[in-house]
Structure formats: C-alpha cells, structure tokens
Amino acid sequence: MPWATAAALSGLTALAVAAGPPLVWPALALGGAGIAAVAVQTIRQRRGHRQAARARALEALAAARDEATLILDVDGGELFRSPAAALFGPAGAPLRPLEDAVEGDERAGAELARLSLAAVHRVPHHGEVSVPREDGRRDVLRLSVHPLPGGAVAWQGADVTARRALEEVLRREHEAAVDFVEFLPVGCYVADAEGRFRYVNQRLAEWLGRSPESLIGAELQEVFGVRPDPEEDRAEMSLRGRGGEVFQAFVAHSAFDEGGETRTRSVVVRDLMPEGQWERALKAAERRFDWLFHDAPVGIALVDPDGSVSACNRAFQAMLGAEEDVTGAPVIDLIAEADRSDAADQLAKVLMGTSPGLHREVRLAGRAGRVASMYISPTAEEGEASGLMLHFIDTTERKNLEIQFAQSQKMQAMGQLAGGVAHDFNNLLTAMIGFCDLLLQRHGPGHPSFADLMQIKQNANRAASLVRQLLAFSRRQALQPRPLDVTDALAELSNLLRRLLGERITLNMVHGRDLGLVRVDPGQFDQVIINLAVNARDAMPGGGRLTIRTSAADVEHPVERGAETMPPGRYALIEIRDTGTGIAPEHLERIFEPFFSTKEVGAGTGLGLSTVYGIVRQTGGYVFVDSAPGEGAVFRIYLPRMEAEAAAVPRAPAAEAPGRDLTGMGSVLLVEDEDAVRAFGARALRNKGYRVLEARSGEGALEVLERDGDVDVLITDVVMPGMDGVALARLVRRELPHVRVVLISGYSDEIAVGEVPDDAGFHFLPKPFSLKDLAGLVKEVMAAPPHPGG
C-alpha cells in the first residue's frame, strides 16, 4: 500500500473510532476514501449536528486525495462519489465512459470487461487501461474494484500517465547504459574475492572468444592464465584471443563492498596489435591516403612555411603538364608570371594568420592557357601553423566557354549594329543616287553641272560598296547564289590575283579532285578570295609565296573553333596560306571584327576580313585562321557541297539595255517611311508616265486603298514602324489579288522577306537602287500577268 494511502487510512480510522462504535467495523473493512464515505453516511443518519461536523471532516479528507473513488451499495445504488470520480459513469454503468473512449481497442476493452466481471462476482481486481485523448496522446489509468462488507463495491481510479512515462524513461536509460557498457571499446568485468567472474561485458567476451554467460563463474586464473593481484590497481598481461592469437592487455581495477563481500571492478584495455594486423592497417591507411590525395580529381599541393612544395598529387602534376616531380620547387614559380605578385600576397596572408583562407583564379605556368581556381587554407600541428594546403580546380574549359560566349555575343551585337547602320545608309544613298539621276535627266553631258553630278553619283556608289561590306559582315547582304565549281572559279580568278600580288609574290594553285559544286554568289566568292589575297600581300612586304589549295573535306565530328562550331558534313575546303609576318595571338580573337586592323592608320578600312567572315557565314560556310608571329597565316574556308541541284536563283533587277524605253502606264502605290526615298521614287515614276499614290506607313496605305482601290502595283518598304511591308503585302494580296507586289529593303531578300513562301509572287528590289533600276522593274512587273494564287 502506498505511503499516502496508509497515512489516509490511519487518519480516517482514528476519526472513525472517535465517532463511536458504529463506525469501527466499516473503518476496518474499507480503508481510504471508501471508509470515509461509509462513515459519513452513517453519521448523517444516526447522529446529530456534532456527528455531521465530523462527517464533513471525513468527506473533506477523502476529497483531498487525487484518486477517484465511487462506492455502490449491494443494490447498485451510489453511496459515495469523490470529486475526482468524474471518469466513472453513473452507478448503473460506472465503466460506460471508458468503454466508449476505448472502442476498437481490443486490449483495453478486454481489461474493462475483466473489471466489470470482478465487480459482478464481488472479487477484487485491478488493471491498467490506455485511454486516447482529443489531442492524440493517451492517458494511462490504473483502475481497481474491491468488495466491501455488506455487499457494497468500491471503485477506484488514478491517472498514472506521468509515472509510467517516468518508468519508461528510466527503463530506456537503463538499457542505454547497459548497451554502453556492453559495447565499450574496452573490456569490463567484476570478480569476487575467490577470483571468479561475476560479470563480463560483451567486448571482453569477444576478445576472449567466449560468450559472457560461459565466463560467469569461471576462474580468472583459468581464463587469463594469471590472477591479477587485488592489492595492485594496475597490471599488464598477455591474453589469448578466440583465434589463438596473443595480445597485450592493460588491466586497471578497484575494490568495492557489496553486501559485506569484497569484489573488484576491472577495465581491460587492448594495448598492442599483432604485427600482421599493424601491416594490414598501414596498407589500408595508405590506400585511403592514395584515394583522398593522389587519386583526388582536383589538384592538391602541400606547401612548407618557406613556400616550397612538400608534396603534390597527380592531378596537380597533370595541370602543370610537368613530366618531372615538382616537389621542392617554390610554389610561386608554378604560377604564371602575370599572377605571381598577387598570388604571393594571398599566400603570405594565410600563412601569417591574417586570413583564415582565400580563393582566387590563377594561370598556371608550364602549360599555356591553363587556368585554375586556387583555394588556400592553412595547416597546423599542435596548434601552430605548419604550412599551407592548396587545392586547384581546373577551370580552363569553363573560362574558354565564357570567352567564346562573350566573343559570340560581341560579334552578334556588332553585326546587328553594322546591319542597322547599313540599312539606314542605304536609305540615304537611295535618295542621293535617285535625285542625282533626276538631275542628270535635265543636265546632260553638255551641261556645266554634268561632271559635278556624276562625281556625286560615283561617290554615292562607292559609299554603297562600303555599305555592302557592312551588310556582308552582318550577314544581311543581298546575295545571288548559284551552283559554282570552285576549281573553275579560282582558275578564272588567277590572272587577276597575279596582277594584284605583284612580281615579288609567287602564287601557287593546287587543285583537289571531286570537289563537287557549292552554292554561292560568284561575285561575292571572288571578293572573298581577293580580300584574302590582298591581306596576304600586305603581310609580305618583302615578297613571299601565296598558296591556294582546294580539297574535299568530310567532317565526321563537330569542330569547335573559338565561338564557332562547325557541324559534321561534306565540305569543299579552300586553304589560303602565306609566308608573311603572321598574326599576334592577342589579335587572332578580333581578326574578323569590323574596323579592326593591325595595319597603320590610313592603310585600310578594317572591313576586308569582316567582309570575308560575313559572306562565308551567310553562304552557310565557316572560316578559320591559324597563325603565329613570323610563321605566316593560313585561312581555311569550308563551303557546304551541294547534294542536289540548287533552287531557283533569286530575282535580280532588270538589266539596263542601252536606249531601253522605261515609260509606262498604270497606277502605283508607293509606301516608304523615309521621306527622301519616297519623294524620289514618286517623282521618278511620275516622270515615266505612271499615276503614283503615296503613303508613309502600312496603315496609311490601307487608307489610300480604301479611298482608291484602282492600283496595279504596290511598292512597299519592308522595315517600317507599325505594320511592316510583308504584312501589308499579304493583306493586299488577299483583298486585291490582281495587285502586283514589289518589296524594297536595305537588307537581302532572304532577311527582308523572312518566312514568305517562294511561290508568293513577290518581287524584290534591294537598296540602294537607281532611277533605271526602279523604273525598269516596275515596267517588267506591270507587263507580267497577275499572280495565279491571288
């Protein structure tokens, strides 16, 4: 019986005896809160106010206890219920609330059924029931039923959740403590005064090759071969293990008293390892070191305080490209000279402790262009700095990709800029050339202004040539590609090339076989070869040799050169090699940029090689250059070979036949946002007899057509604010199928027309154009039948 229950029982019994003889037998029979309840009921029935006061005291004492108490008489009526007895139901079914709460829990339901059966048969019983709570946790209730004299029954209940939780914690801690001792990395045992084992942990039993149970009761002398002296607290001995091997052990013990019997607690430390195991352990450690150091995928170098390399792994050696071991060399000498000063400062900071570690990118010596991220961290022995550990991660490929991407972005941006500038210049040049033509119609060869006007027109045409070079670089030049035999084209060009090169430079032509055909603009192809030949001539001021070699090239894998990637395919290769001064490495990356030139100021426009690049790339080919100072340069041009007949050649402006009649009749709608170009075009066509309607935009053109739909030819610029020319042409073609369409643009027809199908029936006139170009094409278009597709 718990101490609290005993104390309450004593107090209640004393009060009951003081109350008179009628209370003595219930007090002795019930005890606890049940005694108080019976006593209170009896006092209330047989005593007066004095006895009632004593009953209230007993009731208060019973209510002060935490246990729930319910007493039922022989007929099942309720005699007493303590304040804590709310967990019980009514007298007729005291366990009903608990049965509802544990519904579905077979174990708890069975325990409640046993309690109910014990109450029916008037036999004592107690048990524990786990009851779920609303928050998901569970309470553990201890319930009991006791028969009382006279047929009464006492129900009692108490919440023992906290007690069970504490017991569980203690149990787990005990188990953890036992496991801790059992599997310590040292052996433990307890021996009695006779020298027999009373306890052995699992670790010592494993070392001895026996189970702990088999060692209990065994003599120390039998197992150890020697009995440790209890008077000595430390001893060394040789023990035999489970495989028969002998190992050295250190034993420390202390004596203690257990129930008047002296025993010793001992700890066994396995001190020495057999030689074979030492060798295996060392080899395993060496393998781990190789894996962590020598086989690491990043470069590692250990540096002494004096800055020399004490050790390095294979990855670092590979980064340096050094065949000899660099151990002992100053680490700063392994870094490229341009980065040595900064790297030395960083290493010194970490070595002196002013920085816990640093990271920077460096270029390594020994292998050109090798770049690595260097991580610097200090090493320490016994709390003092002992050197540095350097980790190197090769970032060369990433750096090259960054450079290639930046170069590609720069070339693209410069191409867009060049194309935009050329487009605007073409508008200006169209107006200049056009108005010159208008003036020349009124000022013939005998007029004093004729020579001035021709000079203006000639300079405008020279400016148009420069603009075409800008468009070539931006890949927006108006090309007229057709199937071409490279061998024949170079043979026809050889005489011109010899005159350009002069007598001091020898030209060698080496033609390959089975080159096939390529689809290029013949005039632009000639310009590419001439530009490269002139560039080679300027690189050989003292004379030399220029070799042009052709061959068939089958590329099986993608070729990456700088920012370009050439896909696999069948190409015609044109190799142009000179014996000139060569190109410096820092200039190779910019060699194809417009306006970049290595020549002195005024010696060139800087558009020659950029024109070569633009024409070749717009044709679908690739151009690469290799060079070194003093070793000349070689340009390789790869042009895709044709697999079938080329498509129809793009339309060109009508040829200017001498004395050709350019007059005509009909209505023309001219749509151009550039006022000068529109004014020239309108005057030129009116002078040739056409009725001309004008509009500055696509929206304005639709308004004109809504007012006057009698139009034979629509001439529209492609690039305009708002509705562009292509969208306008498609809309007009759908609503007015009979109208012919002429598109004009400063870009090539492929760039300007974009996704317009070849069979759309649109005509194209590139800027800048002359009066004869415009009038001749309009007359040709006017005479042609309307497009059949509408």
Side-chain angles (χ1 to χ4, degrees), residues 477-518:
Q477 184 178 205
L479 300 180
Q480 298 178 1
R482 64 178 178 82
L484 181 72
D485 188 306
V486 173
T487 302
D488 293 344
L490 290 175
E492 294 176 1
L493 198 59
S494 60
N495 291 331
L496 175 60
L497 291 178
R498 286 188 171 90
R499 288 197 298 270
L500 285 173
L501 295 175
E503 298 179 354
R504 295 164 53 172
I505 298 177
T506 303
L507 175 63
N508 294 330
M509 289 274 193
V510 182
H511 298 293
R513 296 183 178 182
D514 300 326
L515 297 184
L517 299 178
V518 296

Side-chain angles (χ1 to χ4, degrees), residues 635-762:
F635 288 81
R636 294 182 176 88
I637 299 173
Y638 292 83
L639 297 177
R641 284 187 283 173
M642 294 179 58
E643 300 296 339
E645 282 298 323
V649 179
R651 294 166 297 281
E656 297 184 11
R660 181 186 178 193
D661 182 15
L662 299 178
T663 60
M665 298 178 60
S667 297
V668 178
L669 174 57
L670 178 59
V671 187
E672 170 63 63
D673 63 311
E674 191 70 32
D675 294 338
V677 176
R678 189 178 67 256
F680 149 66
R683 284 182 56 185
L685 293 176
R686 288 190 181 105
N687 289 344
K688 297 302 180 183
Y690 297 100
R691 184 174 75 97
V692 181
L693 305 175
E694 301 180 43
R696 297 187 61 185
S697 64
E699 292 82 1
L702 295 178
E703 294 178 0
V704 172
L705 289 172
E706 188 175 352
R707 294 194 306 267
D708 188 351
D710 186 15
V711 174
D712 299 306
V713 178
L714 169 67
I715 303 176
T716 176
D717 190 14
V718 173
V719 180
M720 296 186 296
M723 179 184 294
D724 60 66
V726 175
L728 173 64
R730 286 173 170 168
L731 183 59
V732 171
R733 173 61 58 80
R734 186 170 64 248
E735 300 296 332
L736 302 172
H738 67 280
V739 175
R740 289 87 163 172
V741 176
V742 176
L743 299 175
I744 57 177
S745 176
Y747 295 140
S748 66
D749 57 347
E750 291 91 348
I751 299 297
V753 177
E755 298 179 357
V756 175
D758 293 337
D759 61 353
F762 294 165

Side-chain angles (χ1 to χ4, degrees), residues 292-293 296-304 307-313 315-317 319-320 326 329-335 343-351 356-360 362 364 372-379 387-393:
L292 293 172
F293 186 76
V298 300
I300 305 175
L302 302 179
V303 180
D304 288 336
S308 61
V309 178
S310 60
C312 68
N313 68 345
F316 185 56
Q317 288 275 146
M319 286 184 193
L320 295 172
V326 298
V331 69
I332 201 66
D333 291 348
L334 305 179
I335 297 174
D345 292 340
Q346 304 279 8
L347 294 172
K349 288 180 181 179
V350 178
L351 190 59
L358 293 172
H359 159 241
R360 61 153 298 146
V362 295
L364 299 178
S373 288
M374 180 175 66
Y375 295 83
I376 311 170
S377 56
T379 58
L388 299 173
M389 176 176 287
L390 308 182
H391 289 82
F392 295 86
I393 299 177

Side-chain angles (χ1 to χ4, degrees), residues 110 134 136 163 254 348 469 573 629 652 708:
E134 294 181 357
R163 183 188 306 170
S254 61
Q469 294 187 38
L573 171 60
D708 188 351

Side-chain angles (χ1 to χ4, degrees), residues 260-383:
E261 183 180 354
T262 301
R263 296 192 176 184
T264 57
R265 295 190 185 95
S266 302
V267 175
V268 180
V269 179
R270 190 164 180 165
D271 187 24
L272 303 177
M273 187 180 295
E275 184 177 353
Q277 293 187 25
W278 271 113
E279 292 177 354
R280 290 193 295 271
L282 287 174
K283 289 181 180 178
E286 289 176 359
R287 287 194 299 270
R288 285 193 294 270
F289 180 77
D290 284 343
W291 181 75
L292 293 172
F293 186 76
H294 289 297
D295 296 336
V298 300
I300 305 175
L302 302 179
V303 180
D304 288 336
D306 62 357
S308 61
V309 178
S310 60
C312 68
N313 68 345
R314 286 184 284 269
F316 185 56
Q317 288 275 146
M319 286 184 193
L320 295 172
E323 297 180 359
E324 298 180 358
D325 190 4
V326 298
T327 302
V331 69
I332 201 66
D333 291 348
L334 305 179
I335 297 174
E337 188 172 356
D339 294 338
R340 284 179 187 173
S341 178
D342 189 25
D345 292 340
Q346 304 279 8
L347 294 172
K349 288 180 181 179
V350 178
L351 190 59
M352 291 186 298
T354 58
S355 176
L358 293 172
H359 159 241
R360 61 153 298 146
E361 284 203 352
V362 295
R363 284 165 290 183
L364 299 178
R367 181 176 291 181
R370 185 64 60 183
V371 183
S373 288
M374 180 175 66
Y375 295 83
I376 311 170
S377 56
T379 58
E381 292 181 4
E382 298 181 357

